[in-house]
Amino acid sequence: MSRENAIEAVNLTKRFGDFTAVHQVSFDIPQGEILGLLGPNGAGKTTTMRMLCGILLPTGGEARVLGYDVARQPEEVKRRIGYMSQKFALYNDLTVSENLDFYAHLYGVPRQKLKSRLAGLIEMAGLRGHEKQRAAEISGAWRQRLALACAIVHEPPMLFLDEPTAGVDPVSRREFWNMIYELAGRGVSVLATTHYMDEAEFCNIIGMMHSGHLIALSDPDSLKAGTQGILLEIECDDPGRAEEILAVLPHVVDVALHGILLHVTVPDESLRPTIAESLTAQGIHVARTEIVLPSLEDVFVSMVGAENRAGVRTETD
Ligand SMILES: Nc1ncnc2c1ncn2[C@@H]1O[C@H](COP(=O)(O)OP(=O)(O)O)[C@@H](O)[C@H]1O
Ligand SMILES: [Mg+2]
């Protein structure tokens, strides 16, 4: 275990009966970095996280968190991490302050540090002036920030966030991520899961999960740069029919609808006029074709496509 890695996972696997929820997942998180696990529901993100938190015993592979083996030393791991689970538990009948106080006692924060610690967290979470409000009375975005404050009340060097901003508006999500940045800036390492593709852009490293497999692991820019060919964004009438026409063209690698726009992957730029002509020939008016940088969503779609074409390594391997 190198000292710089907060997490080292090697072939981490979880089977439930004969179903494999997480299949040989390997990655490191260097200290102070934010790794985002991205993927649709059921991909295995929560299961991966729960194994790393020492809550769920792996059925294969191994992982060290802050130097401790998650299977053999789960209590050592649990004591040193912060975990904001998908359904984080705030006490609705308690006030903002009382919730923090409760978690501070649970984690054994020393008495003499309590007051300044809680004041700092209230400040960081932007909850000053709301200390006496009951958790049930504050907005979803504030509850999320309070939950984060509760999860870090013992100042853990490693933080696990399971879909921390689900259901929160974009502005509040950004504010939440600013808090995460601040923590990472202080050396805290973070593993966060999300299914918001845009949110993954906030992470230093992205792991894309699909059907229990980690199908990509890289920084956001490399992931985008690593996609094959170029991406054309096409605005035309009848995008649905245009998609069908383009899907069967031999030089089209991928085509996907993005709202009313089409995203078409082709091997190189010279095909741009050909694509437009193919549509015009079928009576579709093309308003615009433009070369765009792929979003993480494009990358994900193309990775999953490639994985499926390769016949997603069977469930039995
Ligand atoms: N305790 C369990 N028993 C059986 N299957 C489970 C259990 N927990 C999770 N699963 C299954 O494992 C898969 C991955 O779940 P999960 O890790 O929660 O995915 P995600 O967090 O990416 O949505 C799902 O198909 C889920 O139904
Ligand atoms: Mg989940």
Side-chain angles (χ1 to χ4, degrees):
M1 168 103 192
S2 76
R3 279 184 52 216
E4 302 83 42
N5 283 334
I7 290 188
E8 291 182 349
V10 183
N11 293 333
L12 203 59
T13 297
K14 182 69 191 181
R15 281 181 292 273
F16 296 109
D18 51 14
F19 173 72
T20 306
V22 175
H23 186 94
Q24 298 188 348
V25 163
S26 304
F27 61 83
D28 297 337
I29 305 185
Q31 199 220 318
E33 300 266 302
I34 306 173
L35 186 141
L37 271 187
L38 198 64
N41 279 336
K45 305 182 296 296
T46 297
T47 305
T48 302
M49 187 171 273
R50 288 168 64 84
M51 286 192 281
L52 292 170
C53 288
I55 299 169
L56 199 62
L57 195 64
T59 46
E62 54 189 326
R64 286 185 167 268
V65 173
L66 302 169
Y68 296 94
D69 186 290
V70 295
R72 282 191 289 274
Q73 301 163 293
E75 296 308 320
E76 300 293 338
V77 173
K78 280 187 226 170
R79 192 178 313 156
R80 286 169 176 82
I81 59 162
Y83 175 40
M84 189 172 151
S85 70
Q86 218 164 342
K87 291 194 176 64
F88 55 82
L90 287 177
Y91 292 88
N92 278 334
D93 291 339
L94 299 185
T95 65
V96 166
S97 283
E98 288 166 346
N99 266 288
L100 280 169
D101 211 54
F102 174 85
Y103 279 98
H105 282 101
L106 194 68
Y107 285 118
V109 175
R111 269 213 169 278
Q112 65 274 23
K113 289 196 178 157
L114 202 59
K115 206 170 165 203
S116 68
R117 182 79 55 86
L118 297 197
L121 287 168
I122 293 268
E123 191 65 45
M124 181 196 82
L127 290 165
R128 200 135 65 97
H130 303 279
E131 295 92 332
K132 301 258 177 298
Q133 268 177 283
R134 290 193 310 128
E137 292 165 357
I138 60 176
S139 75
W142 288 7
R143 286 171 60 82
Q144 247 128 347
R145 296 209 299 262
L146 174 59
L148 175 63
C150 288
I152 58 172
V153 74
H154 53 313
E155 300 191 325
M158 175 78 227
L159 184 57
F160 292 91
L161 305 167
D162 200 358
E163 306 212 2
T165 61
V168 168
D169 67 89
V171 174
S172 304
R173 271 158 58 192
R174 192 164 278 273
E175 281 168 7
F176 187 92
W177 277 97
N178 284 338
M179 287 172 65
I180 304 298
Y181 277 147
E182 203 181 310
L183 291 169
R186 289 189 230 151
V188 175
S189 317
V190 181
L191 175 64
T193 70
T194 180
H195 59 246
Y196 293 116
M197 299 284 171
D198 61 333
E199 197 158 272
E201 312 252 5
F202 294 126
C203 304
N204 306 114
I205 321 163
I206 292 172
M208 291 190 169
M209 280 196 83
H210 176 62
S211 305
H213 295 255
L214 188 66
I215 58 173
L217 182 69
S218 195
D219 62 276
D221 289 341
S222 307
L223 275 178
K224 291 182 213 167
T227 50
Q228 287 169 350
I230 59 154
L231 187 67
L232 292 177
E233 187 172 83
I234 299 177
E235 189 182 338
C236 62
D237 47 38
D238 207 348
R241 194 160 72 85
E243 184 187 15
E244 286 168 19
I245 294 167
L246 296 179
V248 295
L249 293 183
H251 40 263
V252 167
V253 181
D254 245 320
V255 54
L257 263 176
H258 280 237
I260 58 156
L261 299 172
L262 274 174
H263 277 192
V264 186
T265 309
V266 289
D268 62 81
E269 196 182 339
S270 67
L271 288 159
R272 188 174 167 180
T274 321
I275 295 291
E277 281 156 21
S278 314
L279 294 177
T280 315
Q282 301 277 336
I284 291 179
H285 172 69
V286 178
R288 167 176 78 85
T289 68
E290 196 179 329
I291 295 169
V292 293
L293 279 176
S295 66
L296 283 171
E297 188 147 1
D298 293 310
V299 176
F300 192 80
V301 168
S302 109
M303 297 253 172
V304 170
E307 198 79 358
N308 287 342
R309 280 191 293 275
V312 176
R313 302 177 286 262
T314 54
E315 293 304 323
T316 49
D317 68 344

